[in-house]
Amino acid sequence: MTKLQQFISRVNPLRLALSLTPSAARVITLAVAAVLAWLVVSLFSSNLEMLEERLGAQGWVMSADQVPEERVTIVAIDERSLAEVGPWPWSRDNMARLVDALNQAGVRLQIHDITYPEPKAGDAALIAALNNAPGVVLGQVPVLSGNGADYVAGHGVSAADTGEALSHDVRTGQMTHPVAGVSCSADNTSGSYVANHAGLSGFAAGHITPRVDADGAVRRVPAVVCVDGQAYPTLAIASLLTATQVDNWQASIQPGEGWLAPEQEMYLTSYPGLAIPLDSKGDLRISYQAAPESFRAVSAIDVINGDIPEGMLSNGWALVGATAFGMDDIVPTPYNGSVPGVELQARLISSLLDANMPYTPAGATFLLIAFSLIAAVLLFGLAASRHESLTAYGLPSAAVLLPVAALLVHWQLLSYSNIWLGWMSPAIFTLLAATLLLLLEQGRIRAERTRVFGNLTSYLPSNVARDIAYSLPTSAINAQRCDVTLLSADLRNFSAFGEARPPEESAALLHYFFTRAAEVIARHGGHIHEFKGDGLLAVWEGQSSAAANAAFQAAQEMQENIHKEMPQQPPAGLEPLALGIGIEQGPALRGSIGPAHRRTHTLLGDSVTITLRIQEMTAELAQPILLGECIARQLSDHQLESQGSYLLNGLRIPHVLFAPATDSAAIRRARQDQLNLKVVSGGR
């Protein structure tokens, strides 16, 4: 094993976890899952944020509000309008015609999602028409760093002006109508802008600059964008302020109070009681609660031609904007991959009128941690369950269901409370925690089963232990016929030895005998069937000559190596310990019997009984090794001597026994030990 492999083996996390107590290992595993979740969220924040936004917004889609929005009507500069009036941007005379038509329809407030950056012919007609309107709000475009050019195209701004403003510190037109009382931040400060020309400075204006995400979607809009230290409100807020008909716009931004409150709140002096929720950057989150069908739209050409139902726009707000494809004012939303940008302005205005803006609470992080802790307790309980099936099925199910539960909680809060909590962090944590706990518990179960199987094989042959380990308990006889070669070995005089010596010494001697005998038998291809008392029964598969020779060689090695290592000076009055071995072949029945709650593995048949009785005859015939008739026929290459025919104890048929020839070195030594005579004085 290389040093690297040794190091990996020492620092194996699963091995370290299994070396701890179960509870400590589970707690550490949950802590590791939390650290890994934090790393994943940190390293892949951009991609995960997009996934969180897209799936999180589906809560709106599944419970979309179908109630028609009748307060704000979109006046769409669509394909029909372009086909009849001409390509965009329209002349100021045509825009004047549209403004006049809206005035005649009784519109109270005209909101133009359009910018008029430079003076053009027809401005006098347009200004006159706007002056006749009860209320007007125009668009202006301060350019935030990181935003693309597409979001300002289609608002009356040429592509050349847009590209120049984004690439240089260019200021076109004049920014107007700042809101007092609001401080500026670096996140919402702009150095470039495309605004309306000075001739339109008398009309209220609001910025139409969204926060464009990496996937091109617009989910947030800065409440104010600062230029030269002045805070200019978004078009939706400017519309509210214009509707109040106050000259000086006053507002304040204050921190939210409480875990469920927004991070910041914007208060308008002219709208007492209205709190506009903002995030830490000062952005409004756009609500997609309303279905797209709920926003009423009418073609601009129908308005110009007077082809709209009478009273449709009376006393309402008209939001004028481009919807035609090819005008580059298209953004993706949860409902559709290509939606006119003017719909987003309609959503903002509608949410502000309802005082129902979505927001992320200041305590969102703590709430997500609380959800994760509850999930961790649940996972700990599943992992610690005493029912293995609950752990085996519960943890994989939790790995799927808990992230889904985090998403469902997010959807519920979004649909019923307009709270955007988020769900990705607890989802990743619960997925990692459930997976790691499952690996831990499976590793623990595998280690325990391996340990149990290892202990089982120390009491039973490995093939028998395997059958028992992977079979269901049964009360039926589970046995099969087989042909075997059997070796029975017994320590003679051990009972008397144990009577005269401490039990610890007897146990040590017996342990040595069993250990050495098992090594010899295994080396010759056999296996121990059982240890019983001071003897053992070993088995070789089959009745072949190879099995017979292996058993005979094992017997000779046991006599030659083990016998001489036994204590040769027994306590006074006791005979020395000796090893008697009997070998025979034949059929047997092998398997397990007994009730399901207490089984025993056994080897039954005449061959077993004959082998045991042959081993008992070794003491009477003073032969260390005796063989039966069947195995003697397989050992034609060895010199064997017949010991005569004997009626073995408990059997009715006589059996001829054989012993190795007397020139065997092992037998000569054994007999020498047994016939070690000593001459004493006083005899005759």
Side-chain angles (χ1 to χ4, degrees):
M1 181 180 291
T2 65
K3 292 183 178 180
L4 177 60
Q5 291 174 326
Q6 293 176 350
F7 174 77
I8 294 174
S9 177
R10 286 196 300 270
V11 300
N12 186 320
L14 184 57
R15 178 175 296 179
L16 292 175
L18 294 177
S19 66
L20 303 171
T21 62
S23 295
R26 293 177 189 122
V27 170
I28 292 176
T29 300
L30 290 171
V32 170
V35 173
L36 290 177
W38 177 79
L39 288 175
V40 169
V41 171
S42 300
L43 294 175
F44 305 100
S45 59
S46 179
N47 293 332
L48 292 177
E49 183 179 355
M50 291 301 100
L51 179 61
E52 182 176 51
E53 289 283 352
R54 291 179 180 180
L55 287 181
Q58 293 305 306
W60 276 320
V61 177
M62 291 186 295
S63 60
D65 188 356
Q66 302 289 338
V67 178
E69 173 55 72
E70 298 180 348
R71 296 166 297 182
V72 181
T73 301
I74 297 175
V75 177
I77 302 174
D78 53 8
E79 285 83 355
R80 287 180 53 231
S81 302
L82 296 180
E84 185 166 337
V85 176
W88 186 259
W90 285 351
S91 68
R92 300 296 162 83
D93 289 328
N94 285 326
M95 290 304 302
R97 291 171 56 200
L98 177 59
V99 172
D100 284 333
L102 292 173
N103 291 336
Q104 294 174 8
V107 173
R108 288 184 56 192
L109 180 64
Q110 294 189 33
I111 307 167
H112 288 227
D113 187 22
I114 298 171
T115 302
Y116 306 94
E118 67 279 335
K120 288 185 178 180
D123 273 345
L126 176 60
I127 293 172
L130 292 174
N131 281 322
N132 291 330
V136 173
V137 183
L138 305 180
Q140 52 191 3
V141 189
V143 180
L144 290 177
S145 175
N147 275 350
D150 291 345
Y151 75 90
V152 294
H155 296 84
V157 183
S158 68
D161 289 339
T162 303
E164 189 177 12
L166 290 173
S167 58
H168 304 91
D169 187 13
V170 173
R171 304 184 176 196
T172 301
Q174 181 178 342
M175 295 288 293
T176 63
H177 291 77
V179 60
V182 176
S183 59
C184 297
S185 67
D187 293 322
N188 295 338
T189 298
S190 172
S192 300
Y193 58 82
V194 178
N196 300 293
H197 65 82
L200 298 173
S201 61
F203 301 103
H207 79 76
I208 52 177
T209 301
R211 191 84 69 181
V212 182
D213 289 339
D215 59 352
V218 175
R219 301 179 175 94
R220 301 170 186 83
V221 173
V224 296
V225 174
C226 292
V227 177
D228 296 334
Q230 296 289 321
Y232 297 91
T234 183
L235 186 67
I237 295 177
S239 300
L240 287 183
L241 293 170
T242 302
T244 62
Q245 298 182 350
V246 296
D247 294 331
N248 296 321
W249 292 353
Q250 298 283 335
S252 64
I253 295 178
Q254 301 175 11
E257 297 181 359
W259 283 15
L260 293 178
E263 294 179 282
Q264 300 183 86
E265 291 179 310
M266 185 175 186
Y267 296 93
L268 305 179
T269 304
S270 56
Y271 263 85
L274 175 63
I276 302 174
L278 309 178
D279 63 15
S280 59
K281 290 185 177 181
D283 291 349
L284 295 163
R285 179 178 280 274
I286 299 175
S287 173
Y288 289 98
Q289 180 66 56
E293 299 79 16
S294 65
F295 292 98
R296 186 171 58 179
V298 61
S299 176
I301 191 60
D302 289 337
V303 174
I304 292 174
N305 295 333
D307 296 334
I308 58 174
E310 185 176 356
M312 178 181 181
L313 300 178
S314 180
N315 292 320
W317 292 9
L319 177 60
V320 182
T323 64
F325 286 98
M327 295 178 65
D328 295 326
D329 188 24
I330 302 297
V331 294
T333 71
Y335 296 94
N336 198 310
S338 54
V339 173
V342 68
E343 181 184 301
L344 274 56
Q345 297 294 345
R347 291 183 177 278
L348 282 169
I349 294 170
S350 178
S351 298
L352 284 173
L353 290 174
D354 292 331
N356 195 21
M357 301 287 294
Y359 67 93
T360 298
T365 301
F366 297 101
L367 294 173
L368 294 175
I369 291 175
F371 179 91
S372 300
L373 289 175
I374 294 172
V377 172
L378 175 61
L379 292 172
F380 185 93
L382 288 173
S385 173
R386 296 182 179 180
H387 303 284
E388 287 190 8
S389 58
L390 182 60
T391 300
Y393 294 105
L395 287 176
S397 299
V400 176
L401 296 178
L402 286 176
V404 173
L407 181 58
L408 291 176
V409 169
H410 169 85
W411 283 349
Q412 291 296 313
L413 290 173
L414 189 62
S415 298
Y416 295 102
S417 302
N418 261 317
I419 292 178
W420 183 280
L421 181 63
W423 59 276
M424 184 58 69
S425 297
I428 292 176
F429 166 73
T430 52
L431 176 61
L432 289 174
T435 302
L436 292 179
L437 282 176
L438 181 62
L439 291 176
L440 175 67
E441 297 307 318
Q442 291 299 321
R444 186 182 301 282
I445 291 173
R446 185 178 181 87
E448 291 175 352
R449 288 182 176 176
T450 301
R451 189 182 305 118
V452 170
F453 183 76
N455 290 334
L456 193 60
T457 56
S458 68
Y459 289 90
L460 295 170
S462 59
N463 59 329
V464 177
R466 189 174 295 105
D467 291 340
I468 294 174
Y470 299 110
S471 301
L472 294 175
T474 177
S475 295
I477 296 175
N478 183 16
Q480 298 84 30
R481 284 182 172 270
C482 57
D483 293 326
V484 292
T485 298
L486 301 173
L487 181 152
S488 176
D490 183 78
L491 284 179
R492 295 202 297 269
N493 305 323
F494 181 78
S495 298
F497 178 87
E499 185 180 19
R501 304 302 299 166
E504 291 81 5
E505 187 174 336
S506 300
L509 178 61
L510 199 60
H511 173 74
Y512 168 78
F513 166 57
F514 286 160
T515 302
R516 294 285 286 113
E519 292 174 355
V520 173
I521 291 167
R523 190 158 49 245
H524 290 278
H527 61 266
I528 302 296
H529 172 71
E530 68 174 346
F531 295 115
K532 188 174 182 180
D534 53 6
L536 60 86
L537 181 63
V539 179
W540 281 259
E541 301 298 328
Q543 299 187 59
S544 63
S545 59
N549 277 281
F552 183 61
Q553 292 171 9
Q556 289 181 312
E557 184 176 342
M558 288 168 65
Q559 284 290 352
E560 194 165 334
N561 295 333
I562 298 177
H563 175 74
K564 68 181 181 180
E565 295 173 0
M566 293 293 177
Q568 299 301 316
Q569 295 181 350
L574 297 181
E575 297 182 8
L577 293 173
L579 181 60
I581 300 175
I583 312 175
E584 183 56 305
Q585 288 183 333
L589 187 69
R590 179 169 54 195
S592 58
I593 58 176
H597 65 277
R598 186 63 175 87
R599 305 283 283 178
T600 183
H601 182 73
T602 187
L603 193 64
L604 301 173
D606 291 343
S607 301
V608 180
T609 304
I610 292 169
T611 303
L612 295 176
R613 297 297 179 263
I614 291 174
Q615 182 274 128
E616 293 173 358
M617 291 295 295
T618 59
E620 297 186 20
L621 299 180
Q623 290 286 355
I625 300 175
L626 285 177
L627 302 98
E629 299 172 80
C630 296
I631 197 169
R633 288 193 290 269
Q634 302 281 9
L635 300 175
S636 57
D637 295 339
H638 296 271
Q639 295 182 1
L640 303 177
E641 295 179 349
S642 174
Q643 304 298 301
S645 179
Y646 297 90
L647 185 63
L648 301 178
N649 185 25
L651 302 178
R652 296 181 296 173
I653 300 175
H655 292 264
V656 178
L657 304 182
F658 296 84
T662 55
D663 59 351
S664 169
I667 295 176
R668 288 200 303 271
R669 283 195 296 271
R671 287 191 171 180
Q672 180 65 35
D673 291 338
Q674 294 175 5
L675 300 176
N676 186 15
L677 303 178
K678 181 179 181 180
V679 178
V680 297
S681 61
R684 300 195 205 181

